[in-house]
Amino acid sequence: MKQRVASGVSLIIFLAAIVIFNNTCPAALNVAISLISVLAVYEIIAALGLLKKHVLVIPSLLFSAAVPLLQLVAEPHMMHLGVLQQGFYFLYTVVIFSALILYHQFITFREVGVIYSMSLMIPTALQTIISLRTVGGKHGMFYVIIAIFSAWIADTGAYFAGSRFGKHKLCPNISPKKTVEGVIGGFLLNIVAMIVFGYIFHVVYYAYSVNVSYLSLFLIGFFGTIMSILGDLSFSLIKRSCHIKDFGELIPGHGGILDRFDSVIFEAPFVYLFVHFMPIVIH
């Protein structure tokens, strides 16, 4: 428990540093997401036992690193980010399937399909955290905080409520420790936390000078918990099929990067899409 709490605090401090220095070093968020994407893709490839497939692994890790950094390349050169992204997706696809053709005696389409899909999904999903900063404008880092913490807080609420009150198993064949009581705890804590975050931002930090939609925060807390559970269960199923407990040991008490960011992979794109229709900060 102490390791879990200490690691959690360390992650929060790391995120806080990125938020605080966003104005002076905005590239820090891009670099952090790039590093997380690479580690996450590496962990899932390792879990699948495919690290020796170098012709697939190396392009996949390079692609995972590049996606969150494309904005840094596009803006100074006045390039359209969407075109640059599509170009990288196309290049990665060509490289991966060329490798399949050239090395078909050593790699299978199933291996290509798994690595290709994970290498597309993980960095693309996490890249929406960077896009949220853009959508939120001068309040973009508040949007980033909401997207990340709505996933983590739902997970935290579920963990502690399940540990204390859990009796009814949620999905015993996928994740034996998850309970219905834990899910309820996740919903309650996440909704309350989102409202509190909004209050701190609205009243304490900006002293009513900006308007915040508490309805948006309530809905993010509610539906975000569902997304968090979906992400958690999806990657738990992958771990179960790979016969492993955690994706790694990088974060003591939590496991690997994927064990901490599995829910964010589903949560961040949801928040990104949601705020286009119901912004958190109302102008």
Side-chain angles (χ1 to χ4, degrees):
M1 177 62 73
K2 289 182 179 180
Q3 273 192 333
R4 186 180 181 90
V5 173
S7 298
V9 171
S10 298
L11 283 171
I12 292 171
I13 292 173
F14 175 69
L15 178 60
I18 293 174
V19 172
I20 292 169
F21 293 104
N22 180 63
N23 291 331
T24 56
C25 186
L29 179 63
N30 299 72
V31 173
I33 297 301
S34 175
L35 179 61
I36 291 167
S37 297
V38 169
L39 291 173
V41 171
Y42 178 88
E43 285 178 352
I44 201 162
I45 292 174
L48 294 166
L50 299 176
L51 283 179
K52 292 184 179 180
K53 309 291 183 177
H54 299 123
V55 293
L56 302 179
V57 174
I58 293 173
S60 298
L61 294 181
L62 290 174
F63 175 79
S64 301
V67 170
L69 299 176
L70 292 180
Q71 190 177 37
L72 299 178
V73 177
E75 289 182 356
H77 296 90
M78 302 296 290
M79 299 174 66
H80 192 282
L81 180 60
V83 174
L84 190 60
Q85 287 176 330
Q86 292 300 323
F88 265 78
Y89 293 151
F90 175 69
L91 178 62
Y92 174 59
T93 301
V94 169
V95 170
I96 286 295
F97 281 88
S98 295
L100 174 62
I101 293 170
L102 293 172
Y103 299 97
H104 64 275
Q105 293 179 322
F106 308 103
I107 58 177
T108 66
F109 174 70
R110 179 173 296 178
E111 292 169 341
V112 169
V114 171
I115 293 178
Y116 179 76
S117 61
M118 291 295 101
S119 298
L120 283 179
M121 183 188 78
I122 292 172
T124 301
L126 292 176
Q127 190 267 341
T128 57
I129 295 173
I130 302 167
S131 300
L132 269 170
R133 180 178 59 180
T134 303
V135 170
K138 64 179 181 179
H139 307 303
M141 291 307 288
F142 176 56
Y143 280 52
V144 170
I145 291 170
I146 290 297
I148 295 175
F149 276 91
S150 58
W152 287 355
I153 290 172
D155 183 53
T156 300
Y159 175 80
F160 284 105
S163 299
R164 180 67 178 85
F165 305 107
K167 293 182 179 179
H168 301 88
K169 301 295 183 182
L170 180 66
C171 296
N173 293 329
I174 298 176
S175 185
K177 292 184 178 181
K178 287 182 175 55
T179 63
V180 174
E181 291 80 5
V183 169
I184 295 171
F187 273 108
L188 293 176
L189 184 61
N190 203 20
I191 291 170
V192 171
M194 292 301 101
I195 299 299
V196 170
F197 275 30
Y199 179 83
I200 293 171
F201 179 81
H202 181 206
V203 178
V204 178
Y205 191 76
Y206 273 100
Y208 297 100
S209 62
V210 298
N211 295 316
V212 171
S213 171
Y214 287 98
L215 175 60
S216 293
L217 289 167
F218 173 86
L219 292 174
I220 288 173
F222 183 85
F223 290 105
T225 302
I226 297 174
M227 293 298 106
S228 177
I229 294 169
L230 178 61
D232 202 341
L233 288 177
S234 296
F235 282 92
S236 290
L237 187 58
I238 293 172
K239 286 189 287 187
R240 196 168 185 81
S241 66
C242 294
H243 307 290
I244 57 175
K245 181 180 181 292
D246 295 314
F247 281 108
E249 300 177 353
L250 186 63
I251 309 174
H254 294 266
I257 282 290
L258 261 179
D259 293 294
R260 185 66 280 164
F261 282 87
D262 53 4
S263 53
V264 179
I265 288 170
F266 282 72
E267 181 80 11
F270 161 72
V271 175
Y272 174 73
L273 294 171
F274 180 87
V275 297
H276 278 79
F277 299 96
M278 295 186 67
I280 301 171
V281 179
I282 306 171
H283 299 286

